[in-house]
Amino acid sequence: MAFTIYLSGEIHTNWRDQIKQGITESQLDITILSPVTDHDSSDNVGTTVLGVEQDNFWKDHKSAKINALRTNNYISRSDIVIIKFGDKYKQWNAAYDAGLANGLGIPTIIMHNQDLTHPLKEVDAAAQAVVETPEQVVEILKYIMQ
Amino acid sequence: MAFTIYLSGEIHTNWRDQIKQGITESQLDITILSPVTDHDSSDNVGTTVLGVEQDNFWKDHKSAKINALRTNNYISRSDIVIIKFGDKYKQWNAAYDAGLANGLGIPTIIMHNQDLTHPLKEVDAAAQAVVETPEQVVEILKYIMQ
Amino acid sequence: MAFTIYLSGEIHTNWRDQIKQGITESQLDITILSPVTDHDSSDNVGTTVLGVEQDNFWKDHKSAKINALRTNNYISRSDIVIIKFGDKYKQWNAAYDAGLANGLGIPTIIMHNQDLTHPLKEVDAAAQAVVETPEQVVEILKYIMQ
Amino acid sequence: MAFTIYLSGEIHTNWRDQIKQGITESQLDITILSPVTDHDSSDNVGTTVLGVEQDNFWKDHKSAKINALRTNNYISRSDIVIIKFGDKYKQWNAAYDAGLANGLGIPTIIMHNQDLTHPLKEVDAAAQAVVETPEQVVEILKYIMQ
Amino acid sequence: MAFTIYLSGEIHTNWRDQIKQGITESQLDITILSPVTDHDSSDNVGTTVLGVEQDNFWKDHKSAKINALRTNNYISRSDIVIIKFGDKYKQWNAAYDAGLANGLGIPTIIMHNQDLTHPLKEVDAAAQAVVETPEQVVEILKYIMQ
Amino acid sequence: MAFTIYLSGEIHTNWRDQIKQGITESQLDITILSPVTDHDSSDNVGTTVLGVEQDNFWKDHKSAKINALRTNNYISRSDIVIIKFGDKYKQWNAAYDAGLANGLGIPTIIMHNQDLTHPLKEVDAAAQAVVETPEQVVEILKYIMQ
Amino acid sequence: MAFTIYLSGEIHTNWRDQIKQGITESQLDITILSPVTDHDSSDNVGTTVLGVEQDNFWKDHKSAKINALRTNNYISRSDIVIIKFGDKYKQWNAAYDAGLANGLGIPTIIMHNQDLTHPLKEVDAAAQAVVETPEQVVEILKYIMQ
Amino acid sequence: MAFTIYLSGEIHTNWRDQIKQGITESQLDITILSPVTDHDSSDNVGTTVLGVEQDNFWKDHKSAKINALRTNNYISRSDIVIIKFGDKYKQWNAAYDAGLANGLGIPTIIMHNQDLTHPLKEVDAAAQAVVETPEQVVEILKYIMQ
């Protein structure tokens, strides 16, 4: 049975590549979906395509809505949403994706270091698994797809 | 038509009281729901009721799941979920609540200062209104319930 | 069995008052919901509450989203959505409400003169009844609530 | 990830062809759905197939219901519904489609000139993007499918 | 816990009155809903309120759609739909109501004599109970509401 | 866009074959689903597979439930449910299927002679088209799939 | 905010009374629902009301379906389903209720002694809290309703 | 029409293989899904992948949640869930799966010996068929897919 997973969260480390590599090596029949991970492109798509804004709020607004056409669609098509939290940036969009997935009835796997356990307790409590490394994600996928 | 609202997010300022006061003064027929805002009680309820844990992960886990019995229930019964972001702490549970509400088809109003516009752009983009003060929330409620 | 109805569309004639009067005279147990029908207030609420905009698009955007907090909520709580089309203005919001109601599984009654039959054929085809006068709406309500 | 889009609204300009050409040139994996855009065929299908009617209301009614077998089905299968408003005709069916899509939880992109901003404010406020040209639609699709 | 039941089907015997009497005598907290059981009124409401039709098909069509405003609404609000089949008339609307209730996830109790068992096997197979008398319906209601 | 249709109702005339032939001749990409139309097999499957019953009610019950594993599944997968009523037998299962389809949000096309208009008015009123012949069904399918 | 809870499972100990007493003493605004806990009445209702059966399978079948009119209705109206497992009997209906509640999106609290942890691991894993005593249930309810 | 079935329950007899063989021999187009049936692997996956636990409750918890990523996903994708109860072990997870499937609107076939009829009466009453042997399952599948 093929699976579709969505990789949400942190975009400045290579955790997505590590999961992709593990999936390829394990020859798992998984479609891997991600947000646009080019930071500048993601921030500017609204004004680039729809015209400049003087107010940064509307610049962000237009970009975020276009990005949501992709991210919400991908999340709603996924069997599992996997979300990585790191120690940089606010990452509220990652926590938003966790809430959205659970609101849609889609299970989550949350990845983060132990020092983030307390602030992520509500997100973790709604997840099916909490992991620290991409290898653990791959191990879970290998197990459930055996 | 009576409304039910849920006030999510920041617990160390008195924004909830300000909204309650405005609602009372305007005599609006609104049921106001909130999470448990006693920080210690919220953190410890799991171990207090269900027994101690040596591992902090499970301590947090048990508390967060009991809290979710209240918060998820209240969110799902609300007409509008109002979420306040401040400049302290990670506040991932607030962003999670925004995602959960939208996943359940419940509209949101987001409250924060302008300096948080960029990191909150995805959360704001899915909201019906973005405000800076409790007074603006009350004004919106007065308008839609006139 | 009490009913809740939402009266959408035309705001510059007194059709809502005629329906309300008929309901009162017939002593029907009906909660009547409407959008804010003060045109200026409805157009300006966004900038009045949330701050001025230089670009009219965003002025309209902010007002429309606040109005949707009321209209979408009221439509989703209604047993029947009654929508009046007249010969003035574009009235795309009225047609939008018809689509939204049907998308949510809520039946509609459409009111318009016969000369609008052709452009409203898709809206009419999805309705449970097409009427020309407020009196007919009241007759239908009296019949189904007898 | 393949996408399915539905192109609703204006049928007397070639905006659908422009979007199709852009999609073809960009080699995007998109299934493009449309209503029957032959005006006479669409207006007359009810009486042609099911028998003549003396009353125009029922002629329109039968045609509109058969067309809805296609349009509602296509909208419900789409990832994004793209709706073009022009300056001719009432176009209430286009606004109806926007409401229906949102009622079903399907995101919309709205296309129109700036002079229609005010009457379309409710429709625009519920959309993920508001554009003026087919090229902008193609740019959005290219971006989200990169 | 209060219950709401809908009594569908046969309108020329007094089975509804017998159930109502049993509920009253047993002092059960049940809201009892029914279609309009005045046969002429039900058949003619469409043309009486909305204007005459030359074609009987449209006369029936208009009346049936107005009646559906009541019946579908009542069925969707019920905890149990109770449907009586007799030996007269086609009673396709009764079977339709059974299908509609089950499609909406609402349980049914079917009432009929044993000689109708074979033609009603699909309807019975989807029901929670198949009874022969109004007394049995009342007994079931008394039992589940004890 | 491929369509899936379910052909419910009358099993003793060849209307299904006529529709299949028309679809084949028109080279429409349609998956055609039907109930088991072998009358004896359908009536006896319960006792044949699960063991004999002395009481005909349970014999019918077991068969009807196994048949529902097919019919309900096929209806829920269909884009359109097409239901034929004839002048023989009770055909309550056909009316049940119409209700079930509409309860699940799936549109129906109803086929019957004009002399059945009055008893089928509720079923017809919930349909997108009412036809008399298989050729008309094929014409509708050709039109909506052009 | 009033809560509704359903108490499923073990019927030969007084755990329901202990929870009721705790709720009363704490003056919590909770509606408490339960299955019929009179064992004989529950087992025999089918044949008592609907007529005797020679085959025990059908006797059980008729009773279980009537009981489901109550239990499924109560579960679907509850905010929380609380399920007690003991060491006697098979209790498959209790585990079924846990699955049903979760399938309907309703959270569960599971009560059992520690020696049942392993066989209940799937049921526990889907619950918001796992407790050993009625007092703990009351403590959780007091906490979330403070 | 291809079918997908999920085989839940007993893992220490070869009933799954018998059903698979019957499906293969009958050349039915069925995708067969199962839980991980290696008992040790299933019990230990949580600690193997996510790290050891001192408390058996959390060991079971972590494993059960990872297993649910597979089982809940497979159940939600199935057309029919087939569940085997035997005379060993508690098998609460099997009853849970039955409840979950029905809560999600997916029909069930239950397999067990006659001596388990009474304790399984609630589970059986919600099923479309109750069988004793794998051969009967295959016969039902052959019949509904003919």
Side-chain angles (χ1 to χ4, degrees):
Chain A
M1 206 75 192
F3 269 71
T4 301
I5 62 172
Y6 181 76
L7 305 181
S8 169
E10 203 179 61
I11 65 174
H12 58 282
T13 64
N14 71 336
W15 68 281
R16 284 185 182 81
D17 292 333
Q18 291 176 270
I19 289 179
K20 284 176 196 170
Q21 186 180 333
I23 287 173
T24 302
E25 286 172 6
S26 304
Q27 297 183 294
L28 301 177
D29 184 6
I30 296 181
T31 300
I32 304 170
L33 304 175
S34 296
V36 172
T37 54
D38 178 306
H39 202 266
D40 282 349
S41 170
S42 168
D43 273 6
N44 297 318
V45 62
T47 45
T48 303
V49 175
L50 302 178
V52 294
E53 293 289 334
Q54 293 191 313
D55 187 340
N56 273 340
F57 181 85
W58 297 120
K59 180 195 168 193
D60 279 338
H61 194 75
K62 293 201 297 191
S63 292
K65 282 202 161 176
I66 290 177
N67 279 301
L69 277 174
R70 175 182 173 121
T71 57
N72 292 5
N73 183 280
Y74 280 4
I75 287 172
S76 69
R77 294 204 220 183
S78 295
D79 296 301
I80 306 173
V81 172
I82 299 161
I83 307 167
K84 168 81 165 76
F85 288 85
D87 48 12
K88 287 188 183 167
Y89 308 116
K90 296 288 190 184
Q91 306 173 77
W92 284 323
N93 59 327
Y96 179 86
D97 283 355
L100 182 64
N102 289 147
L104 297 171
I106 298 171
T108 51
I109 296 174
I110 309 298
M111 192 192 315
H112 61 81
N113 291 334
Q114 287 189 22
D115 56 356
L116 295 178
T117 288
H118 191 62
L120 280 170
K121 62 185 180 299
E122 290 87 1
V123 175
D124 287 353
Q128 289 303 105
V130 179
V131 303
E132 292 182 59
T133 68
E135 287 72 22
Q136 288 175 310
V137 171
V138 175
E139 286 306 306
I140 290 174
L141 294 171
K142 282 167 65 178
Y143 172 78
I144 65 173
M145 294 181 69
Q146 68 189 251
Chain B
M1 206 76 192
F3 269 70
T4 301
I5 62 173
Y6 181 76
L7 305 181
S8 169
E10 205 181 60
I11 65 173
H12 58 282
T13 65
N14 71 337
W15 68 280
R16 284 185 181 82
D17 293 332
Q18 290 176 270
I19 289 179
K20 285 177 194 171
Q21 186 179 332
I23 287 172
T24 301
E25 286 172 9
S26 303
Q27 297 182 294
L28 301 177
D29 184 5
I30 296 181
T31 300
I32 304 170
L33 305 175
S34 297
V36 172
T37 53
D38 180 304
H39 202 266
D40 282 349
S41 170
S42 168
D43 273 5
N44 297 319
V45 61
T47 44
T48 303
V49 176
L50 302 179
V52 295
E53 293 289 335
Q54 294 190 313
D55 186 341
N56 272 340
F57 181 85
W58 296 120
K59 179 194 169 195
D60 280 338
H61 194 76
K62 292 201 297 190
S63 292
K65 283 203 158 174
I66 289 177
N67 279 299
L69 276 174
R70 175 181 172 122
T71 57
N72 292 5
N73 182 281
Y74 280 5
I75 287 173
S76 70
R77 293 205 221 182
S78 295
D79 296 302
I80 306 173
V81 173
I82 298 161
I83 306 165
K84 168 83 164 76
F85 289 86
D87 48 11
K88 285 186 185 166
Y89 308 114
K90 296 288 189 184
Q91 304 173 78
W92 283 322
N93 60 326
Y96 180 87
D97 282 355
L100 182 65
N102 289 148
L104 297 172
I106 298 170
T108 50
I109 297 174
I110 309 299
M111 191 191 316
H112 60 81
N113 291 334
Q114 288 189 22
D115 55 355
L116 294 180
T117 289
H118 192 62
L120 280 170
K121 61 184 181 299
E122 289 87 1
V123 175
D124 287 354
Q128 289 303 105
V130 179
V131 304
E132 292 183 58
T133 67
E135 288 74 20
Q136 288 174 311
V137 171
V138 175
E139 285 307 306
I140 290 174
L141 294 171
K142 282 167 65 177
Y143 172 79
I144 64 172
M145 294 182 68
Q146 68 188 252
Chain C
M1 205 76 191
F3 268 71
T4 300
I5 63 174
Y6 181 77
L7 305 181
S8 168
E10 206 180 62
I11 64 173
H12 58 283
T13 66
N14 71 337
W15 69 280
R16 283 185 182 81
D17 293 332
Q18 291 176 270
I19 289 178
K20 285 176 195 171
Q21 186 179 332
I23 286 172
T24 302
E25 287 172 8
S26 304
Q27 297 182 293
L28 300 177
D29 184 6
I30 296 181
T31 300
I32 304 169
L33 305 174
S34 296
V36 173
T37 55
D38 180 305
H39 201 266
D40 282 350
S41 171
S42 167
D43 274 4
N44 297 319
V45 63
T47 45
T48 303
V49 176
L50 302 179
V52 295
E53 293 289 335
Q54 293 190 315
D55 186 340
N56 272 339
F57 180 85
W58 296 120
K59 179 194 169 193
D60 280 339
H61 194 76
K62 293 201 297 192
S63 292
K65 283 203 159 173
I66 290 177
N67 279 300
L69 276 175
R70 175 181 172 122
T71 58
N72 291 6
N73 183 279
Y74 280 5
I75 288 173
S76 69
R77 292 205 221 182
S78 296
D79 296 302
I80 305 173
V81 173
I82 299 162
I83 306 166
K84 168 83 164 74
F85 289 86
D87 49 10
K88 285 186 183 167
Y89 308 113
K90 296 288 189 184
Q91 304 172 80
W92 283 321
N93 59 327
Y96 179 87
D97 283 354
L100 182 64
N102 290 149
L104 296 172
I106 299 170
T108 51
I109 297 175
I110 309 299
M111 192 191 315
H112 61 80
N113 290 334
Q114 289 188 21
D115 55 355
L116 295 180
T117 289
H118 192 62
L120 279 170
K121 61 184 182 299
E122 289 87 0
V123 175
D124 287 355
Q128 290 302 105
V130 180
V131 305
E132 292 182 58
T133 68
E135 288 73 21
Q136 288 175 311
V137 171
V138 175
E139 286 307 307
I140 290 173
L141 294 171
K142 282 167 65 177
Y143 171 78
I144 64 171
M145 294 182 69
Q146 69 190 250
Chain D
M1 205 75 191
F3 268 72
T4 301
I5 62 174
Y6 181 77
L7 305 180
S8 169
E10 203 180 63
I11 66 175
H12 58 285
T13 64
N14 71 336
W15 69 281
R16 282 185 183 80
D17 293 333
Q18 291 176 268
I19 289 178
K20 284 176 195 171
Q21 187 180 331
I23 287 172
T24 302
E25 286 172 8
S26 304
Q27 297 183 291
L28 301 177
D29 184 6
I30 297 181
T31 300
I32 304 169
L33 304 175
S34 296
V36 172
T37 54
D38 179 305
H39 202 266
D40 283 350
S41 171
S42 168
D43 273 5
N44 297 318
V45 62
T47 46
T48 302
V49 176
L50 302 180
V52 295
E53 293 289 334
Q54 292 189 315
D55 186 340
N56 273 339
F57 180 85
W58 296 120
K59 180 195 168 193
D60 279 339
H61 194 76
K62 293 201 298 192
S63 293
K65 283 204 159 174
I66 289 177
N67 279 300
L69 276 174
R70 175 182 173 121
T71 57
N72 292 5
N73 183 279
Y74 280 4
I75 287 172
S76 69
R77 292 205 222 182
S78 295
D79 295 301
I80 306 174
V81 173
I82 298 161
I83 307 167
K84 168 81 166 75
F85 289 85
D87 49 11
K88 288 186 181 166
Y89 308 114
K90 296 289 190 184
Q91 305 172 81
W92 284 321
N93 60 327
Y96 179 87
D97 283 354
L100 181 65
N102 289 147
L104 297 171
I106 299 170
T108 51
I109 296 174
I110 309 299
M111 193 192 311
H112 61 80
N113 290 334
Q114 288 188 20
D115 56 354
L116 294 179
T117 289
H118 191 63
L120 280 170
K121 61 185 180 298
E122 289 88 0
V123 175
D124 287 353
Q128 289 303 103
V130 180
V131 303
E132 292 184 58
T133 68
E135 288 75 19
Q136 288 174 311
V137 171
V138 176
E139 285 307 307
I140 290 174
L141 295 171
K142 281 167 66 178
Y143 172 79
I144 64 173
M145 294 182 68
Q146 69 190 248
Chain E
M1 205 77 192
F3 269 71
T4 301
I5 62 174
Y6 181 77
L7 305 181
S8 169
E10 205 180 61
I11 64 175
H12 58 282
T13 64
N14 71 338
W15 68 281
R16 282 184 183 80
D17 293 333
Q18 291 176 269
I19 289 178
K20 285 176 195 171
Q21 186 179 332
I23 286 172
T24 302
E25 287 172 6
S26 304
Q27 298 182 292
L28 300 178
D29 184 5
I30 296 181
T31 300
I32 304 170
L33 305 174
S34 296
V36 172
T37 54
D38 179 305
H39 201 267
D40 282 350
S41 171
S42 168
D43 274 4
N44 296 320
V45 62
T47 45
T48 303
V49 176
L50 302 179
V52 295
E53 294 290 335
Q54 293 189 316
D55 186 340
N56 273 339
F57 180 85
W58 297 120
K59 180 194 168 193
D60 280 338
H61 194 75
K62 293 202 297 192
S63 293
K65 283 201 160 175
I66 290 177
N67 279 300
L69 276 173
R70 175 182 173 121
T71 56
N72 292 5
N73 183 280
Y74 280 5
I75 287 172
S76 69
R77 293 205 221 181
S78 296
D79 295 302
I80 306 173
V81 173
I82 298 162
I83 307 166
K84 167 81 164 76
F85 289 87
D87 50 10
K88 287 186 182 167
Y89 309 115
K90 296 287 190 184
Q91 305 173 80
W92 284 321
N93 60 329
Y96 180 86
D97 283 355
L100 182 65
N102 289 148
L104 297 171
I106 299 170
T108 51
I109 296 175
I110 309 298
M111 192 191 314
H112 62 81
N113 291 334
Q114 288 189 21
D115 56 355
L116 295 179
T117 289
H118 191 63
L120 280 170
K121 62 184 179 302
E122 289 88 0
V123 175
D124 287 354
Q128 290 302 104
V130 179
V131 304
E132 291 182 60
T133 69
E135 288 73 21
Q136 288 174 310
V137 171
V138 175
E139 286 307 306
I140 290 174
L141 294 171
K142 282 167 64 177
Y143 171 79
I144 64 173
M145 295 182 67
Q146 68 189 251
Chain F
M1 206 75 192
F3 269 71
T4 300
I5 63 174
Y6 181 77
L7 305 180
S8 169
E10 202 180 65
I11 64 173
H12 58 283
T13 65
N14 71 337
W15 69 281
R16 282 185 183 82
D17 293 332
Q18 290 176 270
I19 289 178
K20 284 176 195 172
Q21 186 179 333
I23 286 172
T24 301
E25 286 172 8
S26 304
Q27 297 182 294
L28 300 176
D29 184 7
I30 296 180
T31 300
I32 305 169
L33 305 175
S34 297
V36 172
T37 54
D38 180 305
H39 201 268
D40 282 349
S41 171
S42 167
D43 274 6
N44 297 319
V45 62
T47 45
T48 302
V49 176
L50 303 179
V52 295
E53 293 288 335
Q54 293 190 315
D55 186 340
N56 273 339
F57 181 85
W58 296 119
K59 179 195 169 193
D60 280 338
H61 194 75
K62 293 201 297 191
S63 292
K65 283 204 157 175
I66 290 177
N67 278 300
L69 276 175
R70 175 182 173 121
T71 57
N72 292 6
N73 182 279
Y74 280 5
I75 287 173
S76 68
R77 293 205 221 182
S78 295
D79 296 300
I80 306 173
V81 172
I82 299 162
I83 306 166
K84 168 82 166 76
F85 289 86
D87 49 10
K88 286 187 183 166
Y89 308 114
K90 296 288 190 183
Q91 305 171 81
W92 284 321
N93 59 327
Y96 179 86
D97 283 354
L100 182 65
N102 290 148
L104 296 172
I106 299 170
T108 51
I109 297 175
I110 309 299
M111 192 191 315
H112 61 80
N113 291 335
Q114 289 188 20
D115 56 355
L116 295 179
T117 289
H118 191 63
L120 280 170
K121 61 185 181 298
E122 289 87 1
V123 176
D124 286 354
Q128 290 303 104
V130 180
V131 304
E132 292 183 58
T133 68
E135 288 73 21
Q136 288 175 310
V137 171
V138 176
E139 286 306 306
I140 290 173
L141 293 172
K142 283 167 65 177
Y143 171 78
I144 63 171
M145 294 183 69
Q146 68 189 249
Chain G
M1 206 77 191
F3 269 71
T4 301
I5 62 173
Y6 181 76
L7 305 181
S8 170
E10 203 180 62
I11 64 174
H12 58 283
T13 65
N14 71 338
W15 68 281
R16 284 185 182 81
D17 292 333
Q18 291 176 269
I19 289 179
K20 285 177 194 171
Q21 186 180 332
I23 287 172
T24 301
E25 287 172 7
S26 304
Q27 296 182 295
L28 301 177
D29 184 6
I30 296 181
T31 300
I32 304 169
L33 305 174
S34 296
V36 172
T37 53
D38 178 306
H39 201 266
D40 282 349
S41 172
S42 168
D43 273 5
N44 297 319
V45 61
T47 46
T48 302
V49 176
L50 302 179
V52 295
E53 294 290 335
Q54 294 189 313
D55 186 340
N56 272 340
F57 181 86
W58 296 120
K59 180 194 169 193
D60 280 337
H61 193 76
K62 294 202 296 191
S63 292
K65 283 202 158 174
I66 289 177
N67 279 300
L69 276 174
R70 174 181 173 122
T71 57
N72 292 4
N73 182 281
Y74 280 5
I75 287 173
S76 68
R77 294 204 218 183
S78 295
D79 296 300
I80 306 174
V81 173
I82 299 161
I83 307 166
K84 168 82 164 77
F85 289 86
D87 48 11
K88 285 187 183 166
Y89 308 117
K90 296 289 190 183
Q91 305 173 79
W92 283 321
N93 59 327
Y96 180 87
D97 283 354
L100 183 64
N102 289 148
L104 297 171
I106 299 170
T108 51
I109 296 174
I110 309 299
M111 192 191 315
H112 61 81
N113 291 334
Q114 288 189 21
D115 56 354
L116 295 179
T117 289
H118 191 63
L120 280 170
K121 61 185 181 300
E122 290 87 2
V123 175
D124 287 353
Q128 289 302 104
V130 179
V131 304
E132 290 183 60
T133 68
E135 288 73 21
Q136 288 174 310
V137 171
V138 176
E139 286 307 306
I140 290 174
L141 294 171
K142 282 168 64 177
Y143 172 80
I144 65 173
M145 295 182 68
Q146 68 188 252
Chain H
M1 207 74 193
F3 269 71
T4 300
I5 63 173
Y6 181 77
L7 304 181
S8 169
E10 202 179 63
I11 65 174
H12 57 283
T13 65
N14 71 337
W15 68 280
R16 284 185 181 82
D17 293 333
Q18 289 176 272
I19 289 179
K20 284 176 194 171
Q21 185 180 332
I23 287 172
T24 301
E25 286 172 7
S26 304
Q27 298 182 295
L28 301 176
D29 184 6
I30 296 181
T31 300
I32 305 169
L33 305 175
S34 296
V36 172
T37 53
D38 179 306
H39 202 267
D40 282 348
S41 170
S42 168
D43 273 4
N44 296 319
V45 62
T47 44
T48 303
V49 176
L50 302 178
V52 294
E53 293 289 336
Q54 294 190 313
D55 186 340
N56 273 339
F57 181 85
W58 297 119
K59 180 195 168 192
D60 280 337
H61 194 75
K62 293 201 297 191
S63 293
K65 283 203 159 175
I66 290 177
N67 279 300
L69 277 174
R70 175 182 173 121
T71 57
N72 292 6
N73 182 281
Y74 280 4
I75 287 173
S76 69
R77 293 205 220 182
S78 295
D79 296 301
I80 306 172
V81 173
I82 298 161
I83 307 166
K84 168 83 165 75
F85 289 85
D87 48 12
K88 286 187 184 166
Y89 307 115
K90 296 287 190 184
Q91 305 173 78
W92 283 322
N93 60 326
Y96 180 87
D97 282 354
L100 182 65
N102 289 148
L104 297 170
I106 299 171
T108 50
I109 297 175
I110 309 299
M111 191 191 317
H112 62 81
N113 290 335
Q114 288 189 21
D115 55 356
L116 295 179
T117 289
H118 192 63
L120 280 171
K121 61 185 181 301
E122 290 87 0
V123 175
D124 286 354
Q128 289 303 105
V130 179
V131 303
E132 293 182 59
T133 67
E135 288 73 22
Q136 287 175 311
V137 171
V138 175
E139 286 307 305
I140 290 174
L141 294 171
K142 282 167 65 177
Y143 172 79
I144 64 172
M145 295 181 69
Q146 67 189 251

